[in-house]
Amino acid sequence: MTAHGDGPLRYTVVIPTVGRPSLTACLRALAAAGGPGPVRVVLVDDRRGAPRTPLPVEIPAKLRPVTSVVPGRARGPAAARNTGLRVAGPVPWIVFLDDDVVPGPTWCDDLARDLAAAGPRTGGVTARIEVPLPTDRPPTDWERNTAGLATARWITADMAYRREVLEAVGGFDERFPRAFREDADLALRVRAAGWDLAAGSRTTTHPVRPAGRWVSVRVQAGNADDVLMNRLHGRDWWRRADAPRGRLPRHLAVTASAAAALTCAALARPVAATACAALWLAGTAEFAWARIAPGPRTRDEIISMALTSAVVPPVATWHWLGAHLRHRRTRPLPRPVQAVVPEASGRAVRERVLP
């Protein structure tokens, strides 16, 4: 099977990783998938700390001859994918996978059909992401959050891009340090440059990762990325990316009520302080119930939702305010964008080919 206009199908798979055990399952599924396999697999070891220990992964025998490990810079998945792109080799297509996904049993065949069907102005082809949820109980708040990946557009958990397109728009924007919005930013720049993005037929499973009680607090850092998206793409980027707006306006209001209650109490204005505290309590209770009601309502889940619902609004506000300060001089992107893939801080990328 051939990719339209590209001759025999040739593609490289790039997987940024922080050494999670799920990487082995991802590679096993890739090796077992029927169809033409990748000419190269690049694992970008993006773990923090030194000295660096060997990446904890079992490479299937089928993939060992084509698998390389390259060191990342511990600057997040966007930077790691750029590192992988620079050593991907002269192939027309780069397929990005996350280290916690499981390609389907016919993934390689399906990918070949996706790429063969790509028109000359098709810059990228998405996959179908499936998130398995429990069948014997309602999903938890974290499971519902992860399930949102199934409807996210252009998600780089499994996304194929033409190499020439990535080079034309400058690759991933490394100012996005998390696995959040860096994929939407790239897709919007690709489309602004005149390329189309198509929906593919291949299927990849994204299991729900284990998470602690405070995971919903940690993910509020993504509010900073939304500020950067506003600066770069304008406030209508939500509509163009078909992205949910979330609860930030409510979080800001709840946090403002709490701040006002504390301020009024410090100024010895008990009536105003009580009124503002009541607004804070009502907002927090509404948020907690909105998360508890659709879930399993177990004791642990209720406790987690009650605790984190009080903490999430101020943390979200903190990240939002900090990003406004950090990105205050960021200018909107020109359209169309034409650039080259940035170099890795002037250093050549070192790689180790597995035996």
Side-chain angles (χ1 to χ4, degrees):
M1 187 173 292
T2 63
H4 184 80
D6 291 326
L9 176 65
R10 291 174 56 83
Y11 66 94
T12 290
V13 171
V14 173
I15 307 176
T17 182
V18 291
R20 288 190 287 232
S22 54
L23 175 60
T24 294
C26 175
L27 293 176
R28 286 174 178 170
L30 178 62
V39 299
R40 196 172 193 190
V41 177
V42 179
L43 307 180
V44 184
D45 185 353
D46 211 38
R47 292 175 296 166
R48 296 182 182 274
R52 189 179 299 275
T53 57
L55 189 65
V57 61
E58 296 179 13
I59 310 294
K62 180 179 178 180
L63 295 180
R64 286 175 191 165
V66 297
T67 298
S68 300
V69 176
V70 301
R73 290 170 284 153
R75 292 179 54 189
R81 293 187 189 109
N82 283 343
T83 297
L85 172 60
R86 284 187 285 269
V87 298
V91 293
W93 290 94
I94 311 295
V95 184
F96 297 103
L97 294 177
D98 284 351
D99 68 353
D100 56 352
V101 303
V102 181
T106 59
W107 187 86
C108 293
D109 268 331
D110 295 338
L111 173 68
R113 282 190 288 270
D114 288 347
L115 302 187
R121 295 304 300 171
T122 300
V125 185
T126 67
R128 298 176 181 177
I129 302 298
E130 295 182 348
V131 179
L133 295 176
T135 58
D136 59 339
R137 59 166 174 80
T140 64
D141 179 72
W142 174 240
E143 289 167 343
R144 294 193 303 274
N145 181 283
T146 305
L149 298 176
T151 56
R153 298 186 69 184
W154 315 314
I155 182 172
T156 39
D158 182 345
M159 181 72 185
Y161 275 107
R162 289 190 190 272
R163 182 186 181 91
E164 64 178 296
V165 171
L166 294 170
E167 292 174 343
V169 302
F172 289 86
D173 189 331
E174 298 182 10
R175 288 173 292 184
F176 291 92
R178 288 164 286 275
F180 189 68
R181 304 304 190 204
E182 86 292 351
D183 46 12
D185 165 74
L186 175 61
L188 289 176
R189 288 189 284 119
V190 167
R191 297 183 75 189
W195 295 87
D196 298 323
L197 297 176
S201 63
R202 67 191 186 280
T203 300
T204 292
T205 299
H206 193 302
V208 179
R209 294 199 310 267
R213 171 166 290 170
W214 302 99
V215 63
S216 60
V217 176
R218 293 195 298 272
V219 300
Q220 297 309 310
N223 285 285
D225 297 337
D226 286 344
V227 173
L228 180 55
M229 289 291 289
N230 286 344
R231 297 284 188 180
L232 294 174
H233 300 283
R235 294 187 178 276
D236 67 335
W237 74 267
W238 302 90
R239 175 185 55 79
R240 290 183 282 124
D242 195 22
R245 290 302 301 267
R247 294 180 63 102
L248 180 62
R250 298 186 189 186
H251 292 336
L252 296 177
V254 169
T255 303
S257 297
L262 294 174
T263 301
C264 290
L267 295 175
R269 299 177 62 182
V271 175
T274 300
C276 291
L279 289 174
W280 169 82
L281 182 60
T284 301
E286 183 277 330
F287 180 37
W289 180 244
R291 303 168 70 200
I292 292 171
R297 304 190 196 180
T298 62
R299 180 177 180 273
D300 186 67
E301 177 77 354
I302 291 173
I303 292 174
S304 295
M305 296 303 98
L307 292 174
T308 58
S309 293
V311 178
V312 162
V315 172
T317 301
W318 173 262
H319 286 295
W320 181 77
L321 290 173
H324 273 286
L325 179 63
R326 187 163 57 254
H327 299 302
R328 65 189 182 279
R329 295 181 180 176
T330 300
R331 296 184 177 276
L333 289 173
R335 300 177 186 178
V337 179
Q338 295 292 334
V340 295
V341 176
E343 290 297 327
S345 304
R347 300 194 305 270
V349 178
R350 304 185 308 277
E351 60 179 307
R352 174 169 58 87
V353 179
L354 298 180

